[in-house]
Amino acid sequence: MGWEEKQVCGYTEFVQTAQRYHGRPIFALFCGDKDAAGRSWCPDCVTAEPVVRKELHNMPDESVFIYCLVGDRAYWKDPNNEFRKNLKLTGVPTLLKYGTPQKLVEEECFKEELVRMLFTED
Amino acid sequence: QEAAKYEKKVLVLDFVTPTPLGNSWGLGGTCVNVGCIPKKLMHQAALLGQALQDSRKYGWQFTEEVKHNWMTMTESVQNYIGSLNWGYRVSLREKNVTYENAYGEFVGPHTIKATNKRGIEKLYTAERFLIATGERPRYLGIPGDKEYCISSDDLFSLPYCPGKTLVVGASYVALECAGFLAGLGLDVTVMVRSILLRGFDQDIANKIGEYMEEHGIKFIRQFVPIKVQQIEEGTPGRLKVTAKSTTGNQVIEGEYNTVLLAIGRDACTRKIGLDKVGVKINEKTGKIPVNDEEQTNVPYIYAVGDILQDKLELTPVAIQAGRLLVQRLYAGATGKCDYLNVPTTVFTPLEYGACGYSEETAVEKFGEENIEVYHSHFWPLEWTVPSRDNNKCYAKIICNIQDKERIIGFHVLGPNAGEITQGFAAAMKCGVTKEQLDSTVGIHPVCAEVCT
């Protein structure tokens, strides 16, 4: 079956989507919002996204890749935002395997070997 | 990782042979997965239970009865361990160390065969090899042991509360586990063949046992199990244990939900092809003798950690030995691992921190007339308000009279023993004498000041 991608905005939509695919491997990439021209306020996210996309074919069959825009810069900087509080995210970009302690944060997402390791590790 | 720093091409082969009950774990070795880390976390869970009791005397009011949920604790602990396993994977990858989850064994000079869990074999050659395969829990060799008993390899990820538990053994693993299981509210019995904590100061070992007994842990002394049968399947099930006295013909029976074996650990050196490359091991214990540079009798093969003969089985010692070895090999350093005055702590309900000689070993080595022992009970201030034991915590310092009363043994029994001992270990490395200790002003009010 391969894998499929879901694009979501904000915490609530993320959680609803993750719950819908419970039982399948779920990987999520969290990035800062993009402006009208399609550029994110988060420069590291701009760097990481193509690296991650290039490795998506390494995800196991049936995987769901959730591409989640977290919000604007002000929302992200708030130490009490839902992503920080509930998902324990510490930075963007974050690439994680949902429901496991496996994640890559910030510059770790630039390294295709680490991304590949996250997608293929069991 | 140290070798990779010096631009060496490094391969790590890590593989966990599943326990008899099918349990396995990730990268990091015993300490991270089924040793120090989960042990300390569960010990903390038990201490928090005690703190909740004490808190009422400090004015905290809560009406609900406080109960413990094994699954909640275990899930949190396993989650943390998982993050460590992952952290090591990332770390190795970032430092360009190749990692394979495969079982390594020597097949010939400079050659190793790696078999992964799907049975696929690969061959590797290398200039040098470092063996750090550690140990695994020993089984009793009696009917029912592998089918029905668990070990520390299974306990920390047990997917159900162990219930009424029989702990077989008197090692620190046995006592620490018995300690926290009882602290979480379970009915715990410890079956001891002879003495407690062999190798540790026996005066202190007995105090530890006494404290545990006074706090609800049952001890059956001088008995060994001879048979374990299953009465009822379940999670946990019900087991019947038959045990025989070591001093006569008496046989007893008992029923438990779980039997935890903690009677010792055996080195993983017998099935890694050491005979194919001529590495000598102690046939009886399986341990590998090495020189003071961690080199085996085969010059290109080294070993560190719990598998070494006559060396301490502690994580920090293994790490230190490994790092120094690599620095000697590739960075021109000359420092060797110092195995003297290594501090250690036993995380029994009443914690025990020690560094240096036990009293009996000091007497044996220096002669009773040449050592002076200073000791004192103490009552932690935090225990006064909740009226906890006022005569159980204890500190003992052993001095060498012939060498300016230099401190050669440090022992403390009480809360936070590990934290207390670390500093004194550094002082002992510097050769601290009783006089220097006396002239050190104590911090008040803390337990450690009893030592100054």
Side-chain angles (χ1 to χ4, degrees):
Chain A
M1 193 213 149
W3 54 273
E4 58 184 289
E5 174 169 346
K6 296 288 160 201
Q7 300 206 347
V8 303
C9 289
Y11 180 76
T12 312
E13 213 187 324
F14 171 76
V15 172
Q16 280 169 354
T17 311
Q19 281 171 354
R20 194 181 328 144
Y21 292 102
H22 179 69
R24 288 166 62 176
I26 299 173
F27 296 92
L29 178 63
F30 298 91
C31 291
D33 278 4
K34 293 178 164 170
D35 61 20
R39 280 198 82 90
S40 175
W41 54 260
C42 163
D44 286 351
C45 302
V46 173
T47 312
E49 194 178 329
V51 177
V52 171
R53 289 196 172 281
K54 206 162 136 256
E55 297 294 326
L56 288 178
H57 66 275
N58 285 310
M59 291 191 300
D61 273 350
E62 305 276 308
S63 290
V64 177
F65 173 65
I66 304 180
Y67 178 76
C68 177
L69 294 178
V70 299
D72 62 23
R73 184 187 240 121
Y75 169 81
W76 182 253
K77 293 293 182 197
D78 173 10
N80 289 319
N81 78 54
E82 288 151 308
F83 289 99
R84 289 187 197 269
K85 260 193 9 210
N86 305 338
L87 285 177
K88 310 279 185 272
L89 294 197
T90 54
V92 281
T94 290
L95 176 67
L96 54 77
K97 185 169 181 179
Y98 191 65
T100 76
Q102 292 168 9
K103 64 177 177 177
L104 296 172
V105 180
E106 295 161 354
E107 314 87 61
E108 291 176 343
C109 301
F110 302 169
K111 301 180 181 161
E112 60 186 31
E113 284 181 345
L114 291 183
V115 174
R116 196 176 314 145
M117 190 169 84
L118 182 79
F119 287 153
T120 55
E121 179 71 350
D122 43 31
Chain B
Q1 291 183 81
E2 189 76 24
K5 262 190 353 209
Y6 303 109
E7 321 259 300
K8 291 292 156 187
K9 211 165 139 218
V10 185
L11 169 67
V12 170
L13 295 175
D14 181 54
F15 190 83
V16 178
T17 305
T19 71
L21 296 171
N23 206 18
S24 181
W25 49 85
L27 179 62
T30 295
C31 173
V32 166
N33 292 288
V34 289
C36 332
I37 302 290
K39 176 266 297 281
K40 184 92 191 292
L41 290 173
M42 295 199 176
H43 170 68
Q44 175 67 358
L47 289 178
L48 288 171
Q50 176 71 67
L52 282 167
Q53 308 274 10
D54 291 355
S55 71
R56 289 184 205 263
K57 292 279 175 59
Y58 278 95
W60 288 100
Q61 296 175 324
F62 39 97
T63 49
E64 320 98 64
E65 188 202 324
V66 174
K67 289 190 304 228
H68 184 259
N69 183 314
W70 174 269
M71 291 310 306
T72 306
M73 173 185 72
T74 310
E75 234 177 81
S76 307
V77 169
Q78 287 302 315
N79 214 43
Y80 176 63
I81 292 175
S83 73
L84 290 179
N85 297 143
W86 175 249
Y88 291 129
R89 295 294 319 276
V90 171
S91 187
L92 287 186
R93 189 63 271 172
E94 289 203 298
K95 298 196 168 79
N96 270 323
V97 174
T98 313
Y99 160 76
E100 295 242 347
N101 182 217
Y103 188 92
E105 49 193 313
F106 286 97
V107 290
H110 289 273
T111 312
I112 248 189
K113 174 175 79 169
T115 310
N116 73 9
K117 66 182 177 213
R118 289 181 194 88
I120 316 241
E121 295 175 1
K122 282 198 222 176
L123 286 179
Y124 293 99
T125 57
E127 198 190 327
R128 292 195 175 93
F129 295 83
L130 177 61
I131 308 171
T133 48
E135 303 178 305
R136 294 297 289 273
R138 190 180 303 151
Y139 279 77
L140 282 164
I142 60 170
D145 67 351
K146 292 208 166 125
E147 301 92 300
Y148 307 121
C149 300
I150 64 168
S151 73
S152 58
D153 281 357
D154 307 291
L155 180 65
F156 300 110
S157 55
L158 207 60
Y160 52 84
C161 181
K164 178 177 176 194
T165 303
L166 174 69
V167 178
V168 182
S171 55
Y172 73 80
V173 175
L175 298 186
E176 285 177 343
C177 290
F180 73 70
L181 289 173
L184 298 177
L186 303 179
D187 177 339
V188 178
T189 306
V190 181
M191 185 174 287
V192 178
R193 186 189 59 181
S194 62
I195 63 171
L196 299 180
L197 295 173
R198 185 178 304 275
F200 287 85
D201 185 293
Q202 284 300 292
D203 163 39
I204 309 254
N206 288 323
K207 288 190 195 307
I208 291 176
E210 246 172 55
Y211 183 89
M212 288 171 72
E213 226 164 347
E214 283 167 21
H215 289 264
I217 297 172
K218 297 175 273 239
F219 280 79
I220 299 178
R221 289 179 195 257
Q222 299 187 305
F223 271 83
V224 290
I226 52 175
K227 189 168 52 176
V228 177
Q229 296 162 294
Q230 188 179 61
I231 303 175
E232 191 185 315
E233 251 188 87
T235 52
R238 283 162 57 218
L239 300 172
K240 180 163 106 168
V241 179
T242 309
K244 184 160 180 301
S245 164
T246 57
T247 57
N249 284 321
Q250 197 194 357
V251 169
I252 56 172
E253 284 178 353
E255 187 184 310
Y256 304 92
N257 293 122
T258 298
V259 177
L260 172 68
L261 299 180
I263 55 169
R265 294 173 64 79
D266 291 322
C268 298
T269 50
R270 306 212 190 250
K271 296 191 189 154
I272 55 174
L274 292 181
D275 51 320
K276 303 244 174 25
V277 280
V279 171
K280 285 209 177 54
I281 65 171
N282 178 316
E283 277 307 320
K284 183 158 163 276
T285 63
K287 299 231 176 169
I288 306 183
V290 291
N291 62 18
D292 64 1
E293 301 199 332
E294 286 80 31
Q295 195 180 34
T296 67
N297 62 307
V298 177
Y300 64 90
I301 302 180
Y302 299 81
V304 287
D306 292 1
I307 52 174
L308 295 193
Q309 179 161 284
D310 298 327
K311 298 281 197 285
L312 295 155
E313 296 176 16
L314 295 168
T315 302
V317 173
I319 295 178
Q320 176 93 305
R323 282 214 180 105
L324 290 175
L325 168 66
V326 168
Q327 285 167 9
R328 287 195 305 270
L329 289 177
Y330 303 118
T334 51
K336 297 188 196 175
C337 190
D338 184 0
Y339 293 97
L340 267 189
N341 285 340
V342 173
T344 156
T345 297
V346 181
F347 294 95
T348 33
L350 193 56
E351 293 178 10
Y352 168 37
C355 185
Y357 291 95
S358 65
E359 196 173 331
E360 50 271 35
T361 318
V363 163
E364 200 188 302
K365 179 147 185 191
F366 298 91
E368 194 167 343
E369 65 284 3
N370 292 319
I371 63 164
E372 189 71 55
V373 179
Y374 296 91
H375 66 147
S376 172
H377 280 104
F378 60 92
W379 198 22
L381 180 63
E382 295 82 354
W383 288 21
T384 56
V385 163
S387 306
R388 288 175 63 185
D389 298 298
N390 62 359
N391 61 345
K392 294 288 183 234
C393 296
Y394 181 71
K396 175 162 81 171
I397 291 177
I398 305 171
C399 306
N400 183 352
I401 301 179
Q402 294 178 312
D403 181 19
K404 305 196 178 129
E405 280 211 309
R406 202 161 310 276
I407 314 244
I408 55 170
F410 174 90
H411 304 265
V412 65
L413 187 60
N416 305 303
E419 307 289 2
I420 298 176
T421 308
Q422 186 70 88
F424 286 97
M428 282 174 68
K429 233 189 187 5
C430 299
V432 68
T433 61
K434 179 69 167 61
E435 196 191 329
Q436 287 173 315
L437 211 52
D438 286 345
S439 67
T440 305
V441 180
I443 301 172
H444 182 76
V446 297
C447 297
E449 63 176 315
V450 71
C451 303
T452 56

